[in-house]
Amino acid sequence: MHRPLDLSHVISPSLRDLVELANNHGFDRVTEQIRNLRGCTSPINLQGWSTTADRTTGEVIRSYRSEDEPSGRLLTTCGNRRASRCPACSRLYAADTYHLIKAGLSGGKQVAESVRHHPRAFVTLTAPSFGPVHNRETDNGTTRRCRCGTHHTENDPVLGTPLNPATYDYTGAVLWNAHAGALWARFTTYLRRALAELLMTTQSALNAALRLSFAKVAEYQKRGLVHFHAVIRFDGPDGHSSRPPSWATFQDLRVAVGMAVKRTRLTIESDAVGERVIAWGKRFKVDRIAALADGELTDAKVAGYIAKYATKNAEGAGTVDRTLVCRPCSGRGYVRGPDRFHDLCADCEGTGQAERLASLPVQQHVRQMIRTAWALGHLPEFADLKLWKWAHILGFRGHFSSKSRAYSTTLGALRDVRRAWRLAQAEAARARAGLPATGDNTTLVTDSSWTYLSSGYRPGEELLAAQTRHEIEHQRRFRHEEGDLCLPPS
């Protein structure tokens, strides 16, 4: 029986809660549960139960109830891909993305290894100019002077900001971000058309002999505009399992990308801002991805590059990583009262903003892009874009990473593999306990019921989670240093 603790002398609430946890018989289980989260910063708190039984015999194979936990709840990872929100979960997402991209370049994960011999390109597509900005261009390794007359350092905060904000086309920049995803979709269509024209065949004949597979990721430039990095690969008509025809070469892919970049256009019309043409910038790159690591741009480098940016949001442009929409009124500025009339939202005082734009800790350039996105989002002609919802990421509405269906495996398939591994571990533990193993022909049925409680840790649990993060980071650094020691001398 526990004696009540007198912790009145402990000032820190976190330390007080940790002492209370440590005085509990279930402290080891609390620690185990937190360690299993691998340092997740904002775990999901669930309450409920799950039972897995043999459909034929009714025998219960596994059962779990959150009320049996010392804290009365189950903690599970948040699964957020953004490194600014949860570094632990974002590392897992980055690892999955790496394997997904790598499988489409080298094979594996049920992808034929022959894909490494298919023509493959690493393509970079950029946004056009909406006005001159401070930059740091290099020429043969030498940094050139900016148009403002200054040699900017690499981390100079003015990089990417307009030389003359009064003449910078903020409306065009935000609208470009808003339509970048649609522009990419149209680019893939024009790329197929360009290939058919270049190879002097029809699109139907081309589709019967050749398939385009791709994976792409969006990255923010310092000026606040997204650009895309993509792996584009030639396949046979059956996807990665079939070789493309010999007459489809990397040079054809390079030329076709250039043709598609110049031809891809989106035209939008508005009474407020006039007619706008959304197109790619003049600068684009098409690099060959070498097979068998015999070139500068290898499979592993490309996969690592794309995986790194798959966990980023708009932080590289200096903006915030949270929505600016007032949740009680959903950005409308009003709520419906008991009489069904519109009442001013007390939380945002009618602005619809969760935070005042003027008080955001961002540069003036980013603040103006946010203001522009918010204002455009309330124009009737742009209502379907919901730009006020995406103002915090400067109007970009597309997916940060995507791929074609036949490129490689899927993130869901990779998660299924981990789930199968965990089930195998549970079966091994069952066998060690002397319980009969489930047969290969056994049909298992899982029945469960879960309720969301909250997100985050108790104060004392947060200290345990911080210790777990420290240990994981220490192990990562140790493995990295050991890897460096094992490298052959240069």
Side-chain angles (χ1 to χ4, degrees):
M1 180 176 178
H2 292 292
R3 290 185 302 172
L5 294 175
D6 180 13
L7 301 176
S8 57
H9 62 287
V10 181
I11 299 176
S12 170
S14 298
L15 187 56
R16 189 184 307 128
D17 188 51
L18 179 60
V19 173
E20 290 179 353
L21 286 173
N23 193 53
N24 191 312
H25 281 311
F27 181 66
D28 289 342
R29 172 56 189 163
V30 171
T31 305
E32 178 189 6
Q33 194 171 185
I34 292 174
R35 287 185 180 276
N36 289 340
L37 297 175
R38 303 291 297 169
C40 177
T41 57
S42 183
I44 307 301
N45 293 233
L46 300 174
Q47 195 172 51
W49 54 269
S50 175
T51 301
T52 300
D54 187 327
R55 171 181 288 179
T56 304
T57 65
E59 178 191 2
V60 176
I61 306 300
R62 290 183 297 274
S63 65
Y64 175 85
R65 297 185 307 170
S66 61
E67 64 184 39
D68 295 333
E69 296 286 357
S71 61
R73 72 204 200 285
L74 171 67
L75 300 181
T76 184
T77 55
C78 66
N80 201 312
R81 69 164 186 84
R82 291 178 292 171
S84 62
R85 285 288 180 174
C86 183
C89 291
S90 72
R91 280 196 294 268
L92 181 61
Y93 184 89
D96 283 349
T97 302
Y98 175 86
H99 288 295
L100 185 149
I101 300 297
K102 186 75 159 48
L105 294 171
S106 305
K109 311 293 182 185
Q110 298 183 346
V111 178
E113 292 187 2
S114 59
V115 293
R116 67 170 70 244
H117 302 294
H118 294 196
R120 305 165 303 168
F122 186 54
V123 178
T124 301
L125 304 176
T126 63
S129 173
F130 296 99
V133 298
H134 294 273
N135 57 22
R136 189 175 180 269
E137 294 188 3
T138 57
D139 187 8
N140 295 327
T142 303
T143 304
R144 293 189 297 180
R145 191 185 299 271
C146 177
R147 291 175 63 176
C148 69
T150 305
H151 281 286
H152 295 295
T153 61
E154 189 174 355
N155 298 319
D156 195 331
V158 304
L159 288 175
T161 61
L163 291 171
N164 186 358
T167 60
Y168 191 81
D169 186 9
Y170 281 101
T171 299
V174 170
L175 288 177
W176 196 92
N177 273 350
H179 291 86
L183 191 68
W184 166 262
R186 183 162 294 191
F187 166 77
T188 60
T189 299
Y190 275 86
L191 179 58
R192 294 180 177 93
R193 293 178 182 176
L195 278 171
E197 177 184 340
L198 187 64
L199 299 173
M200 294 181 292
T201 184
T202 63
Q203 289 191 58
S204 58
L206 180 70
N207 293 337
L210 182 67
R211 188 168 189 168
L212 274 176
S213 298
F214 68 84
K216 70 113 169 88
V217 66
E219 177 197 358
Y220 275 86
Q221 296 174 307
K222 288 184 179 296
R223 55 181 175 151
L225 294 165
V226 296
H227 64 289
F228 293 113
H229 302 289
V231 174
I232 303 179
R233 188 187 70 212
F234 279 161
D235 290 333
D238 298 326
H240 57 75
S241 60
S242 57
R243 294 184 64 87
S246 58
W247 40 262
T249 65
F250 169 78
Q251 186 59 30
D252 295 325
L253 180 56
R254 181 198 296 272
V255 175
V257 167
M259 295 168 61
V261 166
K262 294 177 182 179
R263 296 175 181 177
T264 305
R265 295 286 188 276
L266 287 173
T267 303
I268 57 176
E269 296 180 357
S270 165
D271 293 337
V273 302
E275 182 178 290
R276 297 278 180 151
V277 177
I278 309 296
W280 297 112
K282 295 180 180 179
R283 294 186 177 184
F284 66 94
K285 285 185 66 179
V286 185
D287 296 319
R288 183 196 300 271
I289 301 176
L292 301 174
D294 55 0
E296 292 185 3
L297 198 60
T298 63
D299 300 347
K301 287 183 179 179
V302 172
Y305 192 74
I306 290 182
K308 178 177 70 172
Y309 286 107
T311 62
K312 303 296 182 182
N313 214 27
E315 299 88 8
T319 186
V320 294
D321 67 346
R322 56 192 178 276
T323 181
L324 300 175
V325 176
C326 175
R327 293 190 181 277
C329 67
S330 300
R332 291 187 294 266
Y334 64 85
V335 294
R336 291 188 183 274
D339 53 3
R340 308 302 295 171
F341 285 98
H342 291 176
D343 297 333
L344 193 71
C345 178
D347 287 69
C348 65
E349 299 179 348
T351 64
Q353 302 165 4
E355 302 176 58
R356 294 285 184 178
L357 303 187
S359 61
L360 291 176
V362 297
Q363 286 190 335
Q364 182 59 34
H365 171 60
V366 174
R367 193 188 323 277
Q368 188 57 42
M369 288 197 71
I370 293 175
R371 279 201 184 106
T372 304
W374 192 273
L376 290 174
H378 289 83
L379 293 178
E381 55 266 48
F382 297 131
D384 60 319
L385 299 179
K386 299 181 179 179
L387 288 174
W388 42 270
K389 182 179 180 181
W390 309 108
H392 66 294
I393 52 176
L394 314 183
F396 179 61
R397 305 162 49 248
H399 293 287
F400 276 87
S401 61
S402 63
K403 72 174 189 68
S404 60
R405 183 175 300 177
Y407 174 78
S408 69
T409 185
T410 64
L411 293 175
L414 295 175
R415 296 186 187 109
D416 288 342
V417 171
R418 281 199 297 273
R419 188 179 299 111
W421 181 86
R422 288 194 295 266
L423 290 176
Q425 294 295 105
E427 283 296 319
R430 181 180 170 85
R432 288 194 298 269
L435 299 174
T438 56
D440 295 336
N441 298 324
T442 302
T443 302
L444 300 179
V445 178
T446 299
D447 191 16
S448 61
S449 175
W450 296 101
T451 302
Y452 171 80
L453 293 178
S454 61
S455 297
Y457 295 101
R458 284 176 49 170
E461 292 174 339
E462 179 59 50
L463 293 178
L464 296 175
Q467 176 63 25
T468 299
R469 294 186 206 108
H470 173 75
E471 293 173 357
I472 292 174
E473 183 61 26
H474 179 73
Q475 292 171 2
R476 290 178 67 247
R477 290 182 179 179
F478 178 77
R479 287 196 299 267
H480 179 71
E481 293 172 358
E482 286 291 301
D484 290 343
L485 292 174
C486 294
L487 291 176
S490 57

